[in-house]
Short mmCIF file of all heavy atoms in Angstrom, two decimals:
data_model
loop_
_atom_site.label_atom_id
_atom_site.label_comp_id
_atom_site.label_asym_id
_atom_site.label_seq_id
_atom_site.Cartn_x
_atom_site.Cartn_y
_atom_site.Cartn_z
N MET A 1 -120.16 109.41 21.04
CA MET A 1 -120.46 108.02 21.12
C MET A 1 -121.35 107.73 22.32
O MET A 1 -122.24 106.89 22.21
CB MET A 1 -119.18 107.21 21.18
CG MET A 1 -118.44 107.16 19.84
SD MET A 1 -117.06 106.03 19.81
CE MET A 1 -115.73 107.16 20.15
N GLN A 2 -121.08 108.40 23.44
CA GLN A 2 -121.90 108.14 24.62
C GLN A 2 -123.35 108.52 24.39
O GLN A 2 -124.25 107.83 24.83
CB GLN A 2 -121.34 108.91 25.83
CG GLN A 2 -122.05 108.57 27.13
CD GLN A 2 -121.95 107.10 27.49
OE1 GLN A 2 -120.87 106.53 27.54
NE2 GLN A 2 -123.07 106.46 27.76
N ARG A 3 -123.57 109.61 23.66
CA ARG A 3 -124.96 110.00 23.36
C ARG A 3 -125.68 108.92 22.56
O ARG A 3 -126.85 108.65 22.78
CB ARG A 3 -125.02 111.33 22.63
CG ARG A 3 -124.72 112.51 23.54
CD ARG A 3 -125.02 113.82 22.89
NE ARG A 3 -124.27 113.95 21.64
CZ ARG A 3 -124.38 114.96 20.80
NH1 ARG A 3 -125.23 115.94 21.06
NH2 ARG A 3 -123.66 115.02 19.71
N MET A 4 -124.97 108.30 21.61
CA MET A 4 -125.59 107.25 20.82
C MET A 4 -125.91 106.04 21.69
O MET A 4 -126.99 105.47 21.59
CB MET A 4 -124.70 106.83 19.65
CG MET A 4 -125.33 105.73 18.79
SD MET A 4 -124.36 105.29 17.36
CE MET A 4 -124.91 106.55 16.22
N LEU A 5 -124.98 105.65 22.55
CA LEU A 5 -125.25 104.54 23.46
C LEU A 5 -126.45 104.84 24.34
O LEU A 5 -127.31 103.98 24.54
CB LEU A 5 -124.02 104.24 24.31
CG LEU A 5 -122.80 103.65 23.59
CD1 LEU A 5 -121.62 103.54 24.55
CD2 LEU A 5 -123.13 102.31 22.97
N ASP A 6 -126.51 106.06 24.88
CA ASP A 6 -127.64 106.45 25.72
C ASP A 6 -128.95 106.38 24.94
O ASP A 6 -129.95 105.85 25.43
CB ASP A 6 -127.44 107.86 26.27
CG ASP A 6 -126.32 107.95 27.29
OD1 ASP A 6 -125.86 106.89 27.80
OD2 ASP A 6 -125.87 109.09 27.56
N ARG A 7 -128.93 106.91 23.74
CA ARG A 7 -130.15 106.93 22.93
C ARG A 7 -130.63 105.52 22.58
O ARG A 7 -131.81 105.25 22.51
CB ARG A 7 -129.91 107.73 21.66
CG ARG A 7 -131.16 107.95 20.87
CD ARG A 7 -130.98 109.01 19.85
NE ARG A 7 -132.27 109.24 19.23
CZ ARG A 7 -132.59 110.26 18.54
NH1 ARG A 7 -131.70 111.21 18.35
NH2 ARG A 7 -133.77 110.40 18.02
N LEU A 8 -129.68 104.62 22.35
CA LEU A 8 -130.01 103.23 22.02
C LEU A 8 -130.27 102.38 23.27
O LEU A 8 -130.67 101.22 23.16
CB LEU A 8 -128.89 102.61 21.19
CG LEU A 8 -128.68 103.21 19.80
CD1 LEU A 8 -127.41 102.65 19.17
CD2 LEU A 8 -129.89 102.97 18.91
N GLY A 9 -130.00 102.94 24.44
CA GLY A 9 -130.19 102.19 25.69
C GLY A 9 -129.16 101.10 25.89
O GLY A 9 -129.45 100.09 26.51
N LEU A 10 -127.96 101.32 25.40
CA LEU A 10 -126.89 100.32 25.49
C LEU A 10 -125.86 100.72 26.54
O LEU A 10 -125.39 101.85 26.54
CB LEU A 10 -126.18 100.16 24.14
CG LEU A 10 -127.01 99.68 22.96
CD1 LEU A 10 -126.19 99.75 21.68
CD2 LEU A 10 -127.49 98.26 23.21
N PRO A 11 -125.47 99.79 27.41
CA PRO A 11 -124.39 100.10 28.35
C PRO A 11 -123.01 99.99 27.70
O PRO A 11 -122.04 100.53 28.20
CB PRO A 11 -124.55 99.05 29.45
CG PRO A 11 -125.22 97.91 28.76
CD PRO A 11 -126.10 98.52 27.69
N TYR A 12 -122.94 99.27 26.58
CA TYR A 12 -121.67 99.05 25.89
C TYR A 12 -121.96 98.89 24.40
O TYR A 12 -123.00 98.35 24.01
CB TYR A 12 -120.99 97.78 26.41
CG TYR A 12 -119.92 97.25 25.48
CD1 TYR A 12 -118.66 97.84 25.45
CD2 TYR A 12 -120.18 96.22 24.60
CE1 TYR A 12 -117.68 97.39 24.58
CE2 TYR A 12 -119.21 95.75 23.73
CZ TYR A 12 -117.97 96.34 23.72
OH TYR A 12 -117.02 95.90 22.86
N GLY A 13 -121.05 99.34 23.58
CA GLY A 13 -121.15 99.12 22.14
C GLY A 13 -119.79 99.27 21.50
O GLY A 13 -119.00 100.13 21.89
N ALA A 14 -119.52 98.42 20.52
CA ALA A 14 -118.27 98.50 19.76
C ALA A 14 -118.57 99.29 18.49
O ALA A 14 -119.38 98.87 17.68
CB ALA A 14 -117.74 97.11 19.43
N PHE A 15 -117.92 100.43 18.35
CA PHE A 15 -118.14 101.29 17.19
C PHE A 15 -117.17 100.93 16.09
O PHE A 15 -115.97 100.81 16.33
CB PHE A 15 -117.96 102.76 17.59
CG PHE A 15 -119.09 103.29 18.43
CD1 PHE A 15 -119.21 102.96 19.76
CD2 PHE A 15 -120.04 104.13 17.87
CE1 PHE A 15 -120.25 103.44 20.53
CE2 PHE A 15 -121.09 104.62 18.63
CZ PHE A 15 -121.20 104.27 19.97
N ASP A 16 -117.69 100.76 14.90
CA ASP A 16 -116.87 100.41 13.74
C ASP A 16 -116.77 101.61 12.79
O ASP A 16 -117.78 102.22 12.44
CB ASP A 16 -117.45 99.23 12.97
CG ASP A 16 -117.40 97.94 13.76
OD1 ASP A 16 -116.51 97.80 14.62
OD2 ASP A 16 -118.24 97.05 13.50
N PHE A 17 -115.53 101.92 12.40
CA PHE A 17 -115.25 103.02 11.49
C PHE A 17 -114.30 102.53 10.40
O PHE A 17 -113.58 101.55 10.59
CB PHE A 17 -114.55 104.17 12.23
CG PHE A 17 -115.37 104.81 13.30
CD1 PHE A 17 -115.35 104.33 14.60
CD2 PHE A 17 -116.15 105.92 13.02
CE1 PHE A 17 -116.10 104.92 15.60
CE2 PHE A 17 -116.90 106.53 14.01
CZ PHE A 17 -116.87 106.03 15.31
N VAL A 18 -114.29 103.23 9.30
CA VAL A 18 -113.26 103.06 8.27
C VAL A 18 -112.68 104.43 8.01
O VAL A 18 -113.31 105.45 8.25
CB VAL A 18 -113.79 102.45 6.96
CG1 VAL A 18 -114.29 101.04 7.17
CG2 VAL A 18 -114.87 103.30 6.34
N VAL A 19 -111.46 104.42 7.51
CA VAL A 19 -110.81 105.67 7.12
C VAL A 19 -110.64 105.62 5.61
O VAL A 19 -110.07 104.68 5.07
CB VAL A 19 -109.44 105.85 7.81
CG1 VAL A 19 -108.80 107.16 7.39
CG2 VAL A 19 -109.60 105.79 9.33
N THR A 20 -111.16 106.64 4.93
CA THR A 20 -111.08 106.69 3.48
C THR A 20 -109.65 106.98 3.05
O THR A 20 -108.82 107.43 3.85
CB THR A 20 -112.00 107.80 2.91
OG1 THR A 20 -111.46 109.07 3.29
CG2 THR A 20 -113.43 107.66 3.39
N PRO A 21 -109.35 106.74 1.78
CA PRO A 21 -108.00 107.08 1.29
C PRO A 21 -107.65 108.55 1.49
O PRO A 21 -106.47 108.91 1.57
CB PRO A 21 -108.06 106.72 -0.20
CG PRO A 21 -109.11 105.67 -0.29
CD PRO A 21 -110.13 106.04 0.76
N GLU A 22 -108.67 109.40 1.60
CA GLU A 22 -108.45 110.83 1.83
C GLU A 22 -108.25 111.16 3.30
O GLU A 22 -108.07 112.31 3.68
CB GLU A 22 -109.63 111.64 1.28
CG GLU A 22 -109.80 111.54 -0.22
CD GLU A 22 -110.51 110.25 -0.66
OE1 GLU A 22 -111.27 109.67 0.15
OE2 GLU A 22 -110.25 109.80 -1.79
N GLY A 23 -108.33 110.13 4.17
CA GLY A 23 -108.13 110.35 5.59
C GLY A 23 -109.38 110.72 6.36
O GLY A 23 -109.30 111.11 7.53
N GLN A 24 -110.56 110.59 5.76
CA GLN A 24 -111.80 110.92 6.44
C GLN A 24 -112.36 109.67 7.13
O GLN A 24 -112.39 108.59 6.56
CB GLN A 24 -112.83 111.45 5.45
CG GLN A 24 -112.42 112.76 4.81
CD GLN A 24 -113.45 113.23 3.80
OE1 GLN A 24 -114.27 112.46 3.31
NE2 GLN A 24 -113.40 114.51 3.47
N TRP A 25 -112.79 109.86 8.38
CA TRP A 25 -113.38 108.76 9.14
C TRP A 25 -114.85 108.63 8.77
O TRP A 25 -115.57 109.64 8.70
CB TRP A 25 -113.25 109.02 10.63
CG TRP A 25 -111.86 108.81 11.15
CD1 TRP A 25 -110.74 109.52 10.80
CD2 TRP A 25 -111.44 107.84 12.08
NE1 TRP A 25 -109.65 109.05 11.46
CE2 TRP A 25 -110.05 108.01 12.27
CE3 TRP A 25 -112.10 106.85 12.79
CZ2 TRP A 25 -109.32 107.21 13.14
CZ3 TRP A 25 -111.37 106.06 13.65
CH2 TRP A 25 -109.99 106.25 13.81
N ARG A 26 -115.31 107.40 8.57
CA ARG A 26 -116.71 107.12 8.26
C ARG A 26 -117.24 106.09 9.26
O ARG A 26 -116.65 105.03 9.45
CB ARG A 26 -116.88 106.55 6.85
CG ARG A 26 -116.40 107.49 5.77
CD ARG A 26 -117.41 108.59 5.56
NE ARG A 26 -117.02 109.35 4.38
CZ ARG A 26 -117.09 110.64 4.30
NH1 ARG A 26 -117.53 111.34 5.31
NH2 ARG A 26 -116.73 111.26 3.20
N PHE A 27 -118.36 106.42 9.87
CA PHE A 27 -119.01 105.53 10.82
C PHE A 27 -119.74 104.42 10.06
O PHE A 27 -120.43 104.69 9.09
CB PHE A 27 -120.02 106.32 11.66
CG PHE A 27 -120.90 105.45 12.51
CD1 PHE A 27 -120.40 104.83 13.64
CD2 PHE A 27 -122.24 105.27 12.18
CE1 PHE A 27 -121.22 104.03 14.42
CE2 PHE A 27 -123.06 104.48 12.96
CZ PHE A 27 -122.55 103.86 14.09
N LEU A 28 -119.58 103.18 10.50
CA LEU A 28 -120.26 102.06 9.88
C LEU A 28 -121.42 101.55 10.74
O LEU A 28 -122.54 101.42 10.26
CB LEU A 28 -119.29 100.90 9.63
CG LEU A 28 -118.14 101.18 8.68
CD1 LEU A 28 -117.21 99.97 8.60
CD2 LEU A 28 -118.66 101.55 7.30
N GLU A 29 -121.13 101.23 12.01
CA GLU A 29 -122.15 100.65 12.87
C GLU A 29 -121.69 100.67 14.31
O GLU A 29 -120.52 100.88 14.60
CB GLU A 29 -122.43 99.20 12.47
CG GLU A 29 -121.24 98.28 12.74
CD GLU A 29 -121.53 96.82 12.46
OE1 GLU A 29 -122.70 96.46 12.26
OE2 GLU A 29 -120.56 96.04 12.45
N VAL A 30 -122.66 100.43 15.21
CA VAL A 30 -122.34 100.15 16.60
C VAL A 30 -122.89 98.77 16.89
O VAL A 30 -124.04 98.46 16.61
CB VAL A 30 -122.90 101.22 17.57
CG1 VAL A 30 -124.41 101.34 17.48
CG2 VAL A 30 -122.48 100.93 18.99
N ASN A 31 -122.03 97.91 17.41
CA ASN A 31 -122.39 96.53 17.67
C ASN A 31 -122.51 96.34 19.18
O ASN A 31 -121.53 96.51 19.90
CB ASN A 31 -121.30 95.62 17.09
CG ASN A 31 -121.64 94.16 17.17
OD1 ASN A 31 -122.38 93.73 18.03
ND2 ASN A 31 -121.09 93.39 16.26
N PRO A 32 -123.69 95.96 19.69
CA PRO A 32 -123.88 95.83 21.13
C PRO A 32 -123.13 94.65 21.75
O PRO A 32 -123.09 94.53 22.97
CB PRO A 32 -125.39 95.67 21.29
CG PRO A 32 -125.86 95.14 20.00
CD PRO A 32 -124.93 95.70 18.95
N SER A 33 -122.54 93.81 20.93
CA SER A 33 -121.75 92.70 21.47
C SER A 33 -120.45 92.54 20.68
O SER A 33 -119.98 91.44 20.43
CB SER A 33 -122.55 91.40 21.43
OG SER A 33 -122.93 91.08 20.10
N GLY A 34 -119.89 93.66 20.28
CA GLY A 34 -118.68 93.65 19.45
C GLY A 34 -117.46 93.11 20.16
O GLY A 34 -117.37 93.10 21.38
N GLN A 35 -116.51 92.66 19.37
CA GLN A 35 -115.28 92.09 19.90
C GLN A 35 -114.20 93.16 20.06
O GLN A 35 -114.09 94.06 19.24
CB GLN A 35 -114.80 90.98 18.98
CG GLN A 35 -115.79 89.84 18.92
CD GLN A 35 -115.26 88.66 18.14
OE1 GLN A 35 -114.06 88.49 18.00
NE2 GLN A 35 -116.15 87.84 17.67
N TYR A 36 -113.45 93.02 21.10
CA TYR A 36 -112.39 93.98 21.41
C TYR A 36 -111.15 93.27 21.94
O TYR A 36 -110.15 93.90 22.25
CB TYR A 36 -112.87 94.98 22.47
CG TYR A 36 -113.38 94.28 23.71
CD1 TYR A 36 -112.51 93.91 24.71
CD2 TYR A 36 -114.72 93.93 23.83
CE1 TYR A 36 -112.96 93.22 25.82
CE2 TYR A 36 -115.17 93.24 24.94
CZ TYR A 36 -114.30 92.89 25.93
OH TYR A 36 -114.75 92.20 27.01
N GLY A 37 -111.21 91.95 22.03
CA GLY A 37 -110.11 91.18 22.61
C GLY A 37 -108.77 91.43 21.94
O GLY A 37 -107.72 91.47 22.60
N PHE A 38 -108.79 91.62 20.63
CA PHE A 38 -107.54 91.86 19.91
C PHE A 38 -106.92 93.19 20.33
O PHE A 38 -105.69 93.32 20.39
CB PHE A 38 -107.76 91.82 18.40
CG PHE A 38 -108.63 92.92 17.86
CD1 PHE A 38 -108.07 94.04 17.29
CD2 PHE A 38 -110.02 92.83 17.93
CE1 PHE A 38 -108.86 95.05 16.78
CE2 PHE A 38 -110.82 93.84 17.43
CZ PHE A 38 -110.24 94.95 16.85
N ILE A 39 -107.74 94.16 20.68
CA ILE A 39 -107.21 95.45 21.15
C ILE A 39 -106.63 95.28 22.54
O ILE A 39 -105.55 95.79 22.85
CB ILE A 39 -108.31 96.53 21.14
CG1 ILE A 39 -108.78 96.78 19.72
CG2 ILE A 39 -107.81 97.81 21.79
CD1 ILE A 39 -110.01 97.66 19.61
N GLU A 40 -107.35 94.55 23.39
CA GLU A 40 -106.88 94.30 24.75
C GLU A 40 -105.53 93.57 24.73
O GLU A 40 -104.61 93.95 25.45
CB GLU A 40 -107.93 93.48 25.50
CG GLU A 40 -107.72 93.38 26.97
CD GLU A 40 -108.92 92.76 27.66
OE1 GLU A 40 -109.39 91.68 27.22
OE2 GLU A 40 -109.37 93.34 28.65
N GLN A 41 -105.41 92.57 23.88
CA GLN A 41 -104.16 91.83 23.77
C GLN A 41 -103.02 92.70 23.26
O GLN A 41 -101.90 92.65 23.78
CB GLN A 41 -104.33 90.65 22.81
CG GLN A 41 -104.61 89.36 23.50
CD GLN A 41 -104.60 88.21 22.51
OE1 GLN A 41 -104.80 88.37 21.31
NE2 GLN A 41 -104.34 87.02 23.02
N ALA A 42 -103.29 93.50 22.26
CA ALA A 42 -102.23 94.31 21.64
C ALA A 42 -101.77 95.46 22.53
O ALA A 42 -100.61 95.87 22.47
CB ALA A 42 -102.72 94.86 20.29
N THR A 43 -102.67 95.98 23.36
CA THR A 43 -102.34 97.17 24.14
C THR A 43 -102.10 96.91 25.62
O THR A 43 -101.51 97.74 26.30
CB THR A 43 -103.46 98.22 24.03
OG1 THR A 43 -104.64 97.68 24.63
CG2 THR A 43 -103.72 98.60 22.58
N GLY A 44 -102.61 95.79 26.12
CA GLY A 44 -102.52 95.53 27.55
C GLY A 44 -103.57 96.27 28.36
O GLY A 44 -103.58 96.19 29.59
N LEU A 45 -104.45 97.01 27.69
CA LEU A 45 -105.53 97.71 28.40
C LEU A 45 -106.50 96.70 29.00
O LEU A 45 -106.81 95.68 28.38
CB LEU A 45 -106.28 98.64 27.43
CG LEU A 45 -105.47 99.81 26.89
CD1 LEU A 45 -106.26 100.54 25.81
CD2 LEU A 45 -105.11 100.76 28.01
N ARG A 46 -107.01 96.99 30.16
CA ARG A 46 -107.91 96.07 30.87
C ARG A 46 -109.36 96.36 30.49
O ARG A 46 -110.18 96.75 31.33
CB ARG A 46 -107.67 96.20 32.36
CG ARG A 46 -106.22 95.86 32.76
CD ARG A 46 -105.99 95.91 34.25
NE ARG A 46 -106.75 94.85 34.89
CZ ARG A 46 -107.61 95.05 35.88
NH1 ARG A 46 -107.81 96.26 36.36
NH2 ARG A 46 -108.27 94.04 36.40
N ILE A 47 -109.69 96.17 29.24
CA ILE A 47 -111.02 96.50 28.73
C ILE A 47 -112.08 95.60 29.36
O ILE A 47 -113.13 96.07 29.81
CB ILE A 47 -111.06 96.41 27.19
CG1 ILE A 47 -110.06 97.40 26.59
CG2 ILE A 47 -112.47 96.65 26.66
CD1 ILE A 47 -109.82 97.23 25.10
N THR A 48 -111.83 94.29 29.40
CA THR A 48 -112.80 93.36 29.97
C THR A 48 -113.09 93.71 31.43
O THR A 48 -114.25 93.75 31.85
CB THR A 48 -112.29 91.91 29.87
OG1 THR A 48 -112.09 91.59 28.49
CG2 THR A 48 -113.28 90.93 30.47
N ALA A 49 -112.05 93.99 32.19
CA ALA A 49 -112.24 94.35 33.60
C ALA A 49 -113.05 95.63 33.74
O ALA A 49 -113.93 95.72 34.60
CB ALA A 49 -110.88 94.50 34.29
N ALA A 50 -112.80 96.60 32.88
CA ALA A 50 -113.54 97.87 32.95
C ALA A 50 -115.01 97.66 32.62
O ALA A 50 -115.89 98.23 33.27
CB ALA A 50 -112.92 98.89 32.00
N ILE A 51 -115.29 96.84 31.61
CA ILE A 51 -116.69 96.56 31.25
C ILE A 51 -117.39 95.82 32.38
O ILE A 51 -118.52 96.15 32.76
CB ILE A 51 -116.77 95.78 29.93
CG1 ILE A 51 -116.31 96.66 28.77
CG2 ILE A 51 -118.18 95.26 29.68
CD1 ILE A 51 -116.15 95.94 27.45
N CYS A 52 -116.70 94.84 32.96
CA CYS A 52 -117.29 94.09 34.08
C CYS A 52 -117.57 95.01 35.26
O CYS A 52 -118.65 94.93 35.88
CB CYS A 52 -116.38 92.95 34.49
SG CYS A 52 -116.30 91.61 33.29
N ASP A 53 -116.62 95.86 35.60
CA ASP A 53 -116.82 96.82 36.70
C ASP A 53 -118.05 97.68 36.43
O ASP A 53 -118.88 97.90 37.31
CB ASP A 53 -115.60 97.72 36.89
CG ASP A 53 -114.43 97.00 37.51
OD1 ASP A 53 -114.61 95.88 38.03
OD2 ASP A 53 -113.31 97.56 37.47
N TYR A 54 -118.16 98.18 35.21
CA TYR A 54 -119.29 99.04 34.85
C TYR A 54 -120.61 98.27 34.99
O TYR A 54 -121.56 98.75 35.59
CB TYR A 54 -119.14 99.57 33.43
CG TYR A 54 -120.33 100.37 32.99
CD1 TYR A 54 -120.48 101.70 33.38
CD2 TYR A 54 -121.34 99.79 32.25
CE1 TYR A 54 -121.58 102.43 33.01
CE2 TYR A 54 -122.46 100.51 31.87
CZ TYR A 54 -122.57 101.83 32.26
OH TYR A 54 -123.67 102.55 31.89
N LEU A 55 -120.66 97.08 34.43
CA LEU A 55 -121.89 96.30 34.46
C LEU A 55 -122.26 95.86 35.87
O LEU A 55 -123.44 95.69 36.18
CB LEU A 55 -121.78 95.08 33.53
CG LEU A 55 -121.67 95.41 32.05
CD1 LEU A 55 -121.42 94.14 31.24
CD2 LEU A 55 -122.91 96.12 31.54
N GLU A 56 -121.27 95.74 36.75
CA GLU A 56 -121.53 95.39 38.14
C GLU A 56 -121.88 96.60 39.00
O GLU A 56 -122.16 96.48 40.17
CB GLU A 56 -120.32 94.67 38.74
CG GLU A 56 -120.12 93.27 38.17
CD GLU A 56 -118.87 92.61 38.71
OE1 GLU A 56 -117.98 93.30 39.26
OE2 GLU A 56 -118.78 91.37 38.60
N GLY A 57 -121.82 97.78 38.39
CA GLY A 57 -122.22 98.98 39.11
C GLY A 57 -121.09 99.84 39.63
O GLY A 57 -121.33 100.90 40.18
N ALA A 58 -119.84 99.39 39.46
CA ALA A 58 -118.72 100.17 39.97
C ALA A 58 -118.51 101.45 39.17
O ALA A 58 -117.90 102.39 39.65
CB ALA A 58 -117.42 99.34 39.95
N GLY A 59 -119.04 101.51 37.95
CA GLY A 59 -118.88 102.70 37.12
C GLY A 59 -119.97 103.73 37.34
O GLY A 59 -120.05 104.71 36.62
N GLN A 60 -120.81 103.54 38.33
CA GLN A 60 -121.94 104.45 38.55
C GLN A 60 -121.61 105.51 39.56
O GLN A 60 -120.94 105.38 40.48
CB GLN A 60 -123.15 103.67 39.02
CG GLN A 60 -123.34 102.43 38.21
CD GLN A 60 -124.59 102.40 37.37
OE1 GLN A 60 -125.57 102.98 37.75
NE2 GLN A 60 -124.54 101.76 36.24
#
């Protein structure tokens, strides 16, 4: 995924996948402004804070 972000020149992207009935993962798209709030709420992970830190240069 990081290689794709690098190639597209994106600092962040939300990757969308589906899983077939046979259990195979299929890539759909990468969205440069995708939503992740539902994951943050469900898991308690600090995704917004991590993205902000990265964009402010703390991830460099």
Side-chain angles (χ1 to χ4, degrees):
M1 287 188 264
Q2 186 60 52
R3 286 191 303 176
M4 180 176 276
L5 291 174
D6 291 345
R7 188 165 186 163
L8 295 171
L10 298 173
Y12 162 79
F15 287 75
D16 293 333
F17 297 88
V18 295
V19 180
T20 68
E22 296 79 26
Q24 296 178 341
W25 286 64
R26 299 284 189 221
F27 171 73
L28 298 176
E29 67 175 349
V30 59
N31 186 332
S33 59
Q35 297 187 23
Y36 55 86
F38 66 99
I39 296 171
E40 192 171 50
Q41 263 187 336
T43 65
L45 294 173
R46 301 183 66 234
I47 300 169
T48 300
I51 292 171
C52 289
D53 287 347
Y54 176 81
L55 294 174
E56 290 176 342
Q60 315 245 329

